[in-house]
Amino acid sequence: MSKKKIVKIKEVKKEKKIKLPKDNSTKRIKIKIIGIGGGGGNIIKELSKKLDFSSNKIDFTAVNTDFQALEALPSALKKIAFGENETRGLGTGRDISLGKQIAENEEKKIKNIFSDGKDLYILVSSLGGGTGTGTIPVFSKIAKEMNLPTLGIFTLPFNFEGKDKMKESQKAIDEARADLNAVLVIPNERIFKFAEENIPFNDALNIINEQLARSLQGLLNTVYSSGLINIDWADIRTTIEGENQRAYLNTVEAKLTDDLNQFTNQLLNNELVRYDFSKSNNVLFNIEGGKNLSMQQLALISEKIHELAPEARIIFGLTQSSKLKNEIKATVLATGVMKKEEKKVKVKEEKKEEKKVVKTKKVKKETPKKKKTIKEVEEDLKDLEDLGVEINRRNAVEVKRAEEEARKKDLDEDDIFEVPAFLRKKK
Ligand SMILES: Nc1nc2c(ncn2[C@@H]2O[C@H](COP(=O)(O)OP(=O)(O)OP(=O)(O)O)[C@@H](O)[C@H]2O)c(=O)[nH]1
Ligand SMILES: [Mg+2]
């Protein structure tokens, strides 16, 4: 194993903002996803199709000033009408200051939405219209006043919708970001990286919504699935914690036989997300696979993440699922990343330095690695510790052990591969 900084956080300092649920188990984590405005409603509708409601762990709430749009959403979503007096249920007609006014008048309703003690509130909105753009700064401000853990997911309008809409949307994001823990931004325009210019408008929106919903689904699965290495609530909290952060999210699936390097590149280069990966401070990733998923595969992906984001604290999870035979699925959530444009300036400054380094760097040859024994894994960990790298020894060795045990027992559980009780993380 090379000199990687793979850190598994066990405890998070108490003074930090987000509260830890009593038993720290992700199983009990409750999340509320709030779709605001027309686009926000569409996105959470897409996500709700992919998730199981029965568990009561995830709550979907749609907020809009357009009552017809609310009505068109599935009945399983909670619907909250805003601004009846101001718009008579017809929407703001893209009037952002009206949206803001309505949000201020509806402060009670917003507080009520936030009053159910969830562990995480995710605000989702497509900016450019009056409802979403006008209300998200108010939602964010109230969430901060209530000291709630938050993640914002916002889309920016297409370029053809005009510079003013873009400016207003950006302004709303900046305001909201200051009050949220982390914000993920998806410019709708990015769809043209995948689709023809003449793609019908609604099809373009559907592709974006679907992709975003898939990534969010990946993140939520990461929260709720139990694995060989569990990502627990403290890990997620650590990644989201902080203020005014930019976020990156992606989920990718591939066959185990596919090129894992290419898979990782795809995972770390979500073209739809605006921010660059390389300045991440915290990276959380989870790999899900069948029983033949190995530590080597986990190591390869960690290595790549470390190469791309050398300053990041990396937290990983590993879930084995018998549903996935020859597939591998990975989800990554990174925070603290900077804009691509900002990065360009930095890259220019660093170019000369980099060139020198690249010249002297050896090109790594990708040769298939032999599986390591527990002893070898332990030695690797010792090397890392000698180098001053903070690692969670117990987990890494346990994984190896559990892997071997699993292979021996050849468990035929249907659902999720469970870790033997004595290996489970202490609460
Ligand atoms: N990704 C995505 N973007 C959308 C979707 N619907 C609308 N948008 C974008 O979001 C912008 C705002 O539209 P809406 O969400 O309908 O606006 P609103 O917040 O409901 O505000 P008003 O209708 O003006 O009161 C549009 O200009 C589009 O760029 C959607 O389903 N997905
Ligand atoms: Mg609307």
Side-chain angles (χ1 to χ4, degrees):
M1 201 185 278
S2 55
K3 301 165 189 174
K4 298 287 97 57
K5 192 170 183 180
I6 300 169
V7 184
K8 187 87 173 72
I9 312 296
K10 281 158 87 181
E11 287 298 330
V12 177
K13 285 170 212 149
K14 284 203 176 108
E15 69 266 19
K16 293 259 182 164
K17 208 171 106 183
I18 303 175
K19 277 191 212 130
L20 199 67
K22 277 184 193 118
D23 70 355
N24 194 28
S25 153
T26 47
K27 297 268 173 276
R28 285 163 195 247
I29 296 303
K30 298 225 161 130
I31 296 176
K32 188 168 202 167
I33 305 179
I34 307 156
I36 305 165
N42 293 342
I43 294 167
I44 67 162
K45 173 182 160 194
E46 194 58 42
L47 179 62
S48 70
K49 283 196 244 164
K50 295 181 188 295
L51 295 167
D52 174 19
F53 275 90
S54 58
S55 65
N56 261 345
K57 286 171 187 159
I58 304 167
D59 176 309
F60 291 95
T61 298
V63 174
N64 209 338
T65 57
D66 177 341
F67 299 175
Q68 221 178 346
L70 273 182
E71 218 145 86
L73 292 171
S75 55
L77 273 65
K78 245 175 244 164
K79 302 168 189 181
I80 298 176
F82 267 32
E84 187 165 8
N85 296 334
E86 296 86 346
T87 76
R88 282 174 292 122
L90 297 173
T92 68
R94 308 210 131 206
D95 184 338
I96 295 167
S97 51
L98 179 59
K100 190 168 171 25
Q101 188 57 56
I102 289 171
E104 280 160 3
N105 296 346
E106 299 282 26
E107 190 180 333
K108 250 194 189 160
K109 281 188 191 165
I110 298 178
K111 283 189 170 156
N112 201 29
I113 290 171
F114 285 140
S115 289
D116 49 1
K118 301 284 191 225
D119 300 296
L120 178 65
Y121 292 86
I122 303 180
L123 303 179
V124 182
S125 188
S126 289
L127 306 186
T131 304
T133 322
T135 59
I136 61 143
V138 182
F139 268 89
S140 307
K141 185 169 157 271
I142 294 175
K144 184 171 184 180
E145 282 164 6
M146 294 174 76
N147 204 17
L148 300 172
T150 46
L151 173 67
I153 299 182
F154 306 126
T155 70
L156 283 173
F158 290 95
N159 291 347
F160 67 76
E161 295 183 75
K163 276 189 181 154
D164 287 349
K165 289 277 161 230
M166 187 62 87
K167 258 194 194 159
E168 297 276 13
S169 305
Q170 188 54 60
K171 192 167 153 251
I173 287 183
D174 290 343
E175 268 180 61
R177 191 196 282 121
D179 290 331
L180 298 173
N181 289 118
V183 166
L184 178 81
V185 178
I186 295 173
N188 278 343
E189 191 71 14
R190 289 279 171 90
I191 188 65
F192 298 120
K193 293 204 175 253
F194 308 92
E196 299 288 325
E197 294 233 350
N198 57 0
I199 183 174
F201 187 63
N202 276 337
D203 291 359
L205 295 182
N206 287 339
I207 296 174
I208 298 168
N209 297 356
E210 211 278 327
Q211 224 249 268
L212 178 55
R214 205 162 353 112
S215 295
L216 258 173
Q217 182 195 17
L219 179 68
L220 296 170
N221 281 348
T222 295
V223 176
Y224 292 116
S225 59
S226 54
L228 279 174
I229 300 182
N230 277 334
I231 285 182
D232 59 30
W233 179 235
D235 298 331
I236 294 160
R237 230 181 31 163
T238 304
T239 309
I240 294 171
E241 223 155 31
E243 281 171 18
N244 206 3
Q245 295 198 88
R246 300 179 167 102
Y248 174 93
L249 179 66
N250 201 14
T251 291
V252 176
E253 209 173 325
K255 292 261 173 261
L256 260 184
T257 47
D258 292 350
D259 179 351
L260 212 56
N261 263 313
Q262 200 189 330
F263 171 78
T264 313
N265 281 337
Q266 206 189 332
L267 179 69
L268 305 181
N269 284 290
N270 184 351
E271 298 268 32
L272 276 184
V273 180
R274 184 163 75 167
Y275 300 116
D276 196 277
F277 193 82
S278 65
K279 293 294 165 188
S280 312
N281 301 118
N282 287 297
V283 178
L284 179 143
F285 79 99
N286 189 58
I287 300 181
E288 222 181 308
K291 283 175 189 166
N292 35 5
L293 186 68
S294 73
M295 272 295 274
Q296 274 81 5
Q297 283 151 337
L298 184 77
L300 193 138
I301 299 180
S302 315
E303 231 165 81
K304 195 95 190 183
I305 292 176
H306 182 73
E307 259 167 43
L308 283 181
E311 302 302 322
R313 189 159 44 170
I314 301 168
I315 296 168
F316 62 84
L318 180 63
T319 311
Q320 287 189 322
S321 158
S322 54
K323 279 180 197 149
L324 296 172
K325 298 275 184 256
N326 288 309
E327 295 90 35
I328 177 169
K329 194 174 168 184
T331 297
V332 64
L333 171 70
T335 52
V337 289
M338 64 158 79
K339 281 186 204 171
K340 273 202 169 124
E341 303 84 75
E342 289 170 3
K343 198 197 150 212
K344 267 182 202 161
V345 179
K346 184 116 187 171
V347 164
K348 262 187 184 173
E349 288 167 8
E350 290 172 357
K351 224 174 179 178
K352 281 177 197 166
E353 282 295 310
E354 273 177 14
K355 267 185 184 170
K356 279 182 211 162
V357 179
V358 168
K359 269 184 192 168
T360 54
K361 241 190 189 174
K362 279 183 196 163
V363 182
K364 239 197 209 163
K365 233 182 165 185
E366 292 299 335
T367 45
K369 290 171 194 164
K370 204 172 100 265
K371 287 202 167 167
K372 290 187 175 177
T373 62
I374 291 178
K375 195 160 173 268
E376 284 169 331
V377 171
E378 270 172 342
E379 279 166 6
D380 286 344
L381 295 178
K382 176 99 189 27
D383 288 348
L384 284 175
E385 277 172 347
D386 291 345
L387 287 164
V389 174
E390 194 190 329
I391 50 169
N392 181 346
R393 264 181 86 90
R394 192 170 58 87
N395 265 329
V397 177
E398 272 175 15
V399 170
K400 187 67 214 163
R401 234 170 235 149
E403 243 187 33
E404 289 189 353
E405 274 187 21
R407 225 173 282 125
K408 272 184 218 150
K409 283 187 188 167
D410 192 19
L411 295 174
D412 53 6
E413 275 171 36
D414 262 337
D415 228 14
I416 285 165
F417 186 91
E418 287 283 349
V419 196
F422 69 93
L423 291 180
R424 265 183 225 134
K425 278 185 84 171
K426 272 190 197 159
K427 282 171 186 172

